[in-house]
Amino acid sequence: MAFRLRKKKDMPDGLWSKCSACGAMVFTKELEKNLSVCPKCAFHHTISARRRIEITADPGSFEERFTDLQPADRLGFVDEIPYSEKIHRAQEKTGNAEACLAGICAIGGHRAALAVLDFTFMGGSMGEVVGEKITLTIELAGKEDIPLVIFSASGGARMHEGAISLMQLAKTCGELNHYSKNGGFSISVMTNPTTGGVTASFASTCDILVGEPGALIGFAGPRVIQNTIRQELPEGFQRAEFLLEKGQIDLIAPRQEMRETLTRILAYAPQHRQAGT
């Protein structure tokens, strides 16, 4: 008996996605339809800043600002490749100038200043331009007399910029304090991961702190802490649920309910900040 061998059909690239949490293979279109939340284990995968704005702001309401700001390699930093080349590659990959998109939008009909960190751009790290964009967005919220919403997804301060990146912690917190003292109302949404200098600055100092389910939120990573103190860490340490239990964040909102949650919070913002909605 003769057997005919059939050529195996090539599987189209990108048809399936593997969940990094449970390992399940998920139809990519199904994952995207579910806002990049695994339908098997509900793990919230990282999404780009553009996608975040698309699913958060009212359709067509986002007006991007500060697009002229460009990063610079002031220190001439060279690792495996020059920092300037890393910037160029990240810009080509994402289509963005930096790891932060900022502007004005409406969320559930409420006008707000919005800044979103993009983890796909060098891990959402905060350098000079990211810090400046966050600061300018806070200033914009004050000038327009509207609430402020910030989404964080970051590995922390950008090491390639040294002390310049660390200066952004004080600058952003200083402006946020000024905004708050003048009656400003701010919401910080911490997504997976929110770590390092971003956690130690503006992400943790807004009026309302929101976490996405399962988000890693902390300063130093759990492995670094465990190796330093030589002790086993509690189960779920530095995850959003653990922080909620300890009182470090105010609430947890699934991605599918984020716009509704923010709309509800913004409805309770100081009334004089609802002008123009």
Side-chain angles (χ1 to χ4, degrees):
M1 182 182 292
F3 293 94
R4 295 180 63 184
L5 298 176
R6 292 183 178 180
K7 184 179 179 181
K8 185 178 179 180
K9 293 183 178 180
D10 293 332
M11 182 70 74
D13 291 335
L15 187 62
W16 294 88
S17 297
K18 184 177 181 180
C19 177
S20 56
C22 68
M25 296 301 295
V26 183
F27 194 39
T28 300
K29 287 187 177 179
E30 180 184 359
L31 186 63
E32 292 175 352
K33 185 178 180 181
N34 204 38
L35 306 184
S36 295
V37 177
C38 177
K40 307 292 184 181
C41 70
F43 179 73
H44 285 51
H45 291 267
T46 301
I47 58 177
S48 70
R50 295 281 179 197
R51 178 61 173 153
R52 178 72 67 178
I53 293 168
E54 179 185 333
I55 66 176
T56 303
D58 294 351
S61 69
F62 181 67
E63 302 171 12
E64 189 172 357
R65 304 288 181 89
F66 321 124
T67 56
D68 58 319
L69 298 178
Q70 295 284 335
D73 183 12
R74 301 188 188 282
L75 304 180
F77 190 97
V78 178
D79 188 8
E80 294 179 353
I81 61 173
Y83 175 44
S84 57
E85 178 62 23
K86 288 190 176 183
I87 293 172
H88 179 68
R89 291 183 183 181
Q91 289 175 332
E92 284 195 330
K93 175 185 174 183
T94 63
N96 300 327
E98 250 293 356
C100 178
L101 297 181
I104 288 181
C105 71
I107 301 175
H110 301 284
R111 195 160 175 260
L114 177 67
V116 183
L117 297 190
D118 195 332
F119 195 76
T120 63
F121 192 111
M122 296 187 69
S125 51
M126 179 172 63
E128 178 182 17
V129 171
V130 170
E132 182 68 6
K133 278 195 169 187
I134 294 293
T135 303
L136 289 174
T137 305
I138 301 169
E139 289 183 352
L140 179 62
K143 290 176 182 178
E144 296 289 328
D145 202 26
I146 55 177
L148 167 73
V149 179
I150 304 176
F151 279 86
S152 296
S154 175
R158 190 173 298 173
M159 67 175 187
H160 310 80
E161 297 188 17
I164 297 173
S165 67
L166 295 178
M167 290 166 58
Q168 309 311 310
L169 279 72
K171 183 170 75 174
T172 54
C173 283
E175 187 57 40
L176 194 56
N177 181 58
H178 176 75
Y179 170 70
S180 180
K181 284 185 175 180
N182 283 278
F185 178 76
S186 57
I187 303 171
S188 169
V189 183
M190 292 180 268
T191 72
N192 187 57
T194 299
T195 58
V198 168
T199 306
S201 56
F202 61 85
S204 296
T205 50
C206 290
D207 295 306
I208 302 292
L209 306 183
V210 183
E212 278 197 332
L216 176 65
I217 303 169
F219 183 61
R223 282 181 295 181
V224 174
I225 295 173
Q226 186 164 310
N227 290 336
T228 301
I229 66 175
R230 307 291 181 182
Q231 294 179 18
E232 288 292 324
L233 299 175
E235 186 177 352
F237 181 73
Q238 288 189 323
R239 295 292 172 177
E241 293 75 10
F242 183 87
L243 271 62
L244 179 64
E245 180 185 340
K246 302 300 179 182
Q248 189 168 337
I249 63 176
D250 298 301
L251 69 150
I252 294 174
R255 190 169 293 165
Q256 297 90 334
E257 301 173 11
M258 186 61 71
R259 181 186 288 176
E260 179 185 348
T261 299
L262 293 177
T263 299
R264 188 166 60 250
I265 296 173
L266 290 171
Y268 285 95
Q271 291 302 307
H272 69 281
R273 300 207 159 260
Q274 298 302 308
T277 60

